[in-house]
Amino acid sequence: MLPLPSTVGWSASAFVAAVLARLIRKGLELLPELDESSTGHLRRLEGLLPSVWRVLDAADAGAIDLAGRAVQDLLDAAYAADDALDDLDSAAAAMGVAPGDAMPAAEEARHAGAGRKPRSPLRFLLCFSPPRNTAAGHGRSSKPSSKISSVVDLQMLREALEAMAQAAYRCASMYEHVTPPRNYATAMAVAAGQMDAAGGAAEHDDDDIFGREAEVEQILQEVRFSDDPHYRLGIGVLPVAGDAGVGKTALVRFVFHHEVAMAEFAVRMWVHVSGAFWLRKHLMDQMVHAVTGQYRDDDDARELLQKELAGKRLLLVLDGVTEIVDDHQLGDLMEVLRPAARRSLIMVITRSETVAAAIGTIPVLTLGPLGSDDYWKMFKHFAFGSTEDTEECTLLGDDWEDVEEDEEQLSPMEQIASEIAKKMNSLPLPALAIGRALYFRRDDEDHWRSVLEDKLWENQDVCEISPALWLSYCHLDPRLKQCFAYCAVFPDDYVFRKEELVNMWVSQGLIYSDRVAMRLEDIGDEFFDELVHRCFFQPIGSNRYVIHKSMQELARAVAMSRFFMITETSGDVPQEVRHLTIRTSKLSKLKSDLALEISPYPDHHFLHRVRTILFHADFSESDDFLDILANVFSMAKSMRVLGLSCASITYLPPEIGQLRRLRYLSLSGNKMIDLPETLCLLYHLQVLDVSRNSPSLHPPNGITSLIHLRHLYATEVFLSSIGDIKSLSNLQQLDVFCVGGSMQIDTLRRMTQLRGKFSIRDLRQIDASEVSKGMLKGMQYLNALQLLWSTGDGQTKDVSKDEDVLECLQPHDNLRNLEIMGYGGVKFPSWLTKTSSSLSNVTSMYLIDCMNCKTLPPLHVLPSLEVLEIRRMPSVSKVSAIPQRSDQELFPKLKRLVFEGMAHCTEWLTGNSKSRSTAFPCLCELEIRNCPKLTNFPDIPLSLIVMIIENVGLQTLPRISDKQPSTEEALEATSKNGRWTSRLTTLRVHQCHGLRSLATSLLQQQHLLKSLEFLSFMNCDNVICDILDGFKDLTALRDVSLYDCPKMLVDKFHTSLRTMEISECFVSQGGWVDEDPILFSVWNLKITGCSHVRSDQVSKIDQLDWLSSLLNVCNLHLENTLLLRLSMFNQLPSLEILEIDGCDTFFADLSDFAWLERLQVLSIRNCREMCRLPENLCTLPMLEELCVENCPAIEALPDNGLPPSLKRLSICNCGPRLIERCLDDELDRPKIALIAVVYIDGQCIRTKGFDM
């Protein structure tokens, strides 16, 4: 391993300081019970504190040689002391003696803060150490401890004090004259206020990219118009290649989230491959998670994926592919993705041009470094933090030498920034990392200059890592350094969840703070967010993160030999290792590297000191591996974190009980059906993950003895089988509580530490005598509460019991999300119905399947409510949201409202018309569905963006309120000329048979609808367009759908219209007059059959001239039409794509194709009675693609053959005779011999004239 740069700093400084402080504190608590020698060591440590702080400060700043023996001895002594303190707590608990603190934590923190301590970036740890006026020399502590030594052996504590005192003395002596240089982290220690302010300010838009506009457009062009035959007929592969850190992932992520990609692809999946491509379990897991949001077992993963992909266009990103070891693996992937619709795309991100060339079907997109202009714009964006500032910056020329000419135009800070930018080789990742670090000190010119002049810039790519990344690490608070260094345990491109890593940090003792009111996990969350802001972690969505490969190499470099990864090609394990990652399933290699058969002295074996072991390999139920595990468990007595996820084991050796210091145990994704009772001996265990195992997995009988358990991830069956769960009162993670099992609901009163989301199910089975009022009020940390009586019809035999139960389940005032489902009461509880509700912090409310409730609670007064969903409450006849004051705003912050399945609700009242009150001033989304009797709804606000009305009894649509909004959010709804206008972009009205007129609705207010882009009316039998100028004043309208509305004829549109879907009944009524301007503006036209046309109307349609005036239509899609024939469109000069779906007679009277001179794609689907393809297909001069799907009556290709321009042919689910003829050299195979690519039933076949 190459030596680290001399100024990088020691990632273990904070850990050593924390253990030292804890050790001295514990020594003072037990001072009366220590012998004279131990008391002397304690005095010595107290006296050495200032010198040790100075040494640790210097080590953190990189002023000390980290390879020196004294520093390593100090770290070893800290590890040993940490173990001793653990053992002391365990022994005291086993004997029933609580090793209490000498003083309350808050009081201790105040005393610590009062003591005079040396200034240090580690000063946040001083609250853990004793105040200076509590000197060991006084012979007693400030508060005598209980007599522990009579039942607990203090020998390990004595040894720890001696070892730490000796190591501290050697360090202090050796580095007596070392003066810590100015430390970047000194002014950046993570304190509560600083973290919040910095974190919020540093939230730039990570989706911004610079200088890649041409590449983005190139990819989007491929998505929309690529002529790659594999893409057109199946799945195309687009490789994106380039050097590390050049911005490949950022570019592809930008495209992945681009509106074009979201519109084109119904399914989008991002998978981190991490090396050679193999269709391993974790890749399938990522794909399933992307589709369903959850993980599934191997057995049904493929089936589930294929079901979800069937008939849908797919975008799959494979990130980090280094090589293709086996072509069969890629073929296996294609088989899994086979049900996806054609024109699906796989994007492969790779550094290897060889991989790109081998796997791609579309030309490789190779990225090079950014140009200097773009790079400067990007770096300034990250360092100064404002898009507006970026827009106004002075751009540099094509070469960095042009900076000299423009220096007079730059501010002093910009001049420093430009000099720093020159040092980073135009790579985006270093710019992002160092730019974010500078942003936190963006007003400190001296600091920026010190970064520019740092000696690290002289070390070019030490350990193949950019100096900018080294500097970004140096800027970290000492605690963040050790947390980042711990990430060296992860393999490349490992996908992890936030809580997974934070729980590991807590388990390792890396998280501590002087903020005694906060959980360690909360502090860890802040640390994690800070590392995300500084680009050490990259979010990929759904609470999943990865570490860039360059950052991962940085973590391994700073972690040094304390971290080691065993692979199939790794060397000897260093004896000083503390954290192991195992990535090989070769048991012989594993036995050899772990030296399980060599060392006869387990206490001197390196496993005895290991604190982390993570297994990242599949051991396929191997008994030999279980033997290895048993041996490891017998030796690794210091282990804090054990990861055995997805190892394919069915059994856990009972030796697990020997890991008495274990705090984190992950067994997820295995096949275990039982857990050993010895698991219950793990006194310190805080995290247990047994999710995604056998559905029948039950807990061991003694699981409630794990009193320090804070997070339990398990199935509902597992959790329901825990009897006395109230003993686990420290639990902070409990997803579900099922009534009626072995758990009693009264146990919840003690579960006051629960956080996040909590669900109580099967409340219908509860005995009312088991609940007591306010039993959930103590759960002050809950964010979301779900109360489920049943998932059935919501009927109950005992209405009063349900009411009594819900009355007792009042949550704490801090709750933010509340869901009540299946409640059988007639009325809601008092805590919901009082206008002075205790739910003042609730932002989301869901009332579902409350079948008997006749009235709704006064939800309109909740001050923080943003999301309200009311579903299936048939007993509610009306909603009365009446203001208490004439000027009161109803639902003042509501942004989303769903009102669904209210079968008997007739009206929604918000007061009389003379009232000055307004309703929904901030509403953005409104969905009303399946409310057939609802005839009245309030006016909608200007803020509304999306409105969906389906199967509702309204006779006219709501109007837009003309009352001026009073909130800042609503005030955003202004037009460019300063006039009030609506933000509505989408309006969908479906199956509203009572709707008759549009004249009194919001569509009459077209002067306000300047943002409306999408308008859809479907299956509305009686609605007419009685607006004089139709939709002519909807100037932003782009997409219109008028389907199966037989009385609705709209003859006027604005020429902004580009896409239109109409039904045949619209055509049969006449449509438009010839040469109407609308006919020239439409590019995409879809005509769909409906039940309101008759076959005898063909002659009437045949006379419509406007069908021949669609001069700019380039895409024509006909679906299940009865009357239309291609001859009716006797000139479509711009038509490029023609799709025929279920129209058996469309080609019936066709005599000539010549006028389709630009047609490139012809698709014929689901024409089950079509007996033959048109004979004159061969006359289409530009046809490149022909798709015939699900047309079983077609038995042969046209006798005249296919056009010579044809490049791609796909035949799928047609009759066997057609397939046979296409493969027969004597029949139709010669007709396809010169076609480049032919797909038959999803398989690419080898043609005679073209070698695939």
Side-chain angles (χ1 to χ4, degrees), residues 866-867 891-898 919-927 940-948 969-970 972-973 982-987:
E866 296 182 0
V867 177
F891 302 97
K893 289 192 176 181
L894 193 67
K895 296 181 179 179
R896 172 176 166 81
L897 172 61
V898 177
F920 319 113
C922 298
L923 192 65
C924 296
E925 298 178 46
L926 173 63
E927 298 180 21
I940 61 174
L942 294 169
S943 59
L944 193 67
I945 298 175
V946 176
M947 182 163 74
I948 299 174
E969 294 180 73
E972 296 176 2
S982 171
R983 298 171 63 192
L984 190 68
T985 63
T986 302
L987 174 60

Side-chain angles (χ1 to χ4, degrees), residues 12-20 75 78-79 82 482 508-510 512 611:
S13 291
F15 174 77
V16 173
V19 173
L20 177 59
L75 178 58
Y79 282 133
D82 195 34
Q482 63 178 1
Q508 288 291 346
L510 303 181
Y512 23 75
R611 298 167 66 89

Side-chain angles (χ1 to χ4, degrees), residues 590-633:
L590 194 54
K591 288 180 181 179
S592 173
D593 284 0
L594 296 179
L596 296 179
E597 300 174 350
I598 298 175
S599 175
Y601 305 106
D603 288 348
H604 295 87
H605 198 289
F606 68 82
L607 283 175
H608 185 73
R609 300 181 294 277
V610 166
R611 298 167 66 89
T612 301
I613 299 183
L614 299 181
F615 290 89
H616 288 276
D618 187 341
F619 296 96
S620 302
E621 308 175 31
S622 166
D623 290 338
D624 288 341
F625 174 65
L626 295 179
D627 292 339
I628 291 176
L629 276 184
N631 288 333
V632 169
F633 294 165

Side-chain angles (χ1 to χ4, degrees), residues 699-875:
N701 294 327
I703 192 171
T704 53
S705 64
L706 301 177
I707 60 174
H708 289 109
L709 201 61
R710 298 161 70 90
H711 304 277
L712 177 56
Y713 305 95
T715 64
E716 185 175 320
V717 172
F718 188 99
L719 296 173
S720 301
S721 302
I722 302 176
D724 191 20
I725 198 172
K726 64 177 178 291
S727 299
L728 304 179
S729 58
N730 285 314
L731 267 184
Q732 301 176 12
Q733 179 75 36
L734 183 63
D735 293 334
V736 62
F737 183 99
C738 292
V739 176
S742 57
M743 295 190 291
Q744 299 298 316
I745 196 168
D746 63 344
T747 62
L748 294 180
R749 187 177 292 277
R750 295 184 58 182
M751 309 295 288
T752 58
Q753 299 300 309
L754 291 180
R755 285 159 166 82
K757 182 178 180 179
F758 181 48
S759 176
I760 305 177
R761 299 186 182 177
D762 298 329
L763 281 166
R764 183 155 298 173
Q765 301 184 36
I766 200 171
D767 186 340
S769 62
E770 296 178 7
V771 296
S772 56
K773 198 165 185 178
M775 59 185 305
L776 302 184
K777 286 281 286 182
M779 297 183 180
Q780 59 178 314
Y781 305 112
L782 273 188
N783 179 62
L785 176 63
Q786 187 181 51
L787 303 174
L788 277 69
W789 270 256
S790 70
T791 56
D793 58 6
Q795 300 296 328
T796 181
K797 296 180 180 179
D798 193 343
V799 171
S800 62
K801 185 187 78 169
D802 280 13
E803 292 177 353
D804 292 342
V805 169
L806 186 55
E807 185 69 46
C808 293
L809 298 180
Q810 179 179 0
H812 192 276
D813 295 354
N814 292 341
L815 193 75
R816 298 183 62 83
N817 303 290
L818 176 63
E819 178 176 346
I820 300 174
M821 177 181 287
Y823 171 60
V826 174
K827 60 182 181 180
F828 284 102
S830 61
W831 52 269
L832 256 177
T833 55
K834 291 180 180 178
T835 54
S836 57
S837 174
S838 60
L839 302 178
S840 59
N841 291 307
V842 166
T843 60
S844 300
M845 175 86 73
Y846 306 87
L847 302 178
I848 302 172
D849 292 329
C850 303
M851 311 297 285
N852 299 322
C853 287
K854 296 183 178 181
T855 59
L856 294 176
L859 304 175
H860 58 280
V861 300
L862 296 182
S864 303
L865 189 64
E866 296 182 0
V867 177
L868 175 60
E869 296 191 10
I870 304 172
R871 303 177 187 267
R872 297 183 295 279
M873 297 180 61
S875 297

Side-chain angles (χ1 to χ4, degrees), residues 55 233 311 447 504 600 793 808 881 964 1132 1172 1176 1186 1217:
V55 171
L233 302 181
H447 173 72
M504 287 183 177
D793 58 6
C808 293
Q964 180 172 322
L1132 295 175
R1172 63 177 63 85
N1176 49 4
L1186 173 63
R1217 179 59 179 159

Side-chain angles (χ1 to χ4, degrees), residues 407-428:
E407 278 187 348
E408 294 182 359
Q409 303 178 37
L410 301 176
S411 69
M413 297 289 279
E414 288 175 330
Q415 291 180 24
I416 297 172
S418 69
E419 292 297 322
I420 294 175
K422 295 177 189 179
K423 297 176 177 289
M424 292 185 286
N425 298 323
S426 294
L427 295 177

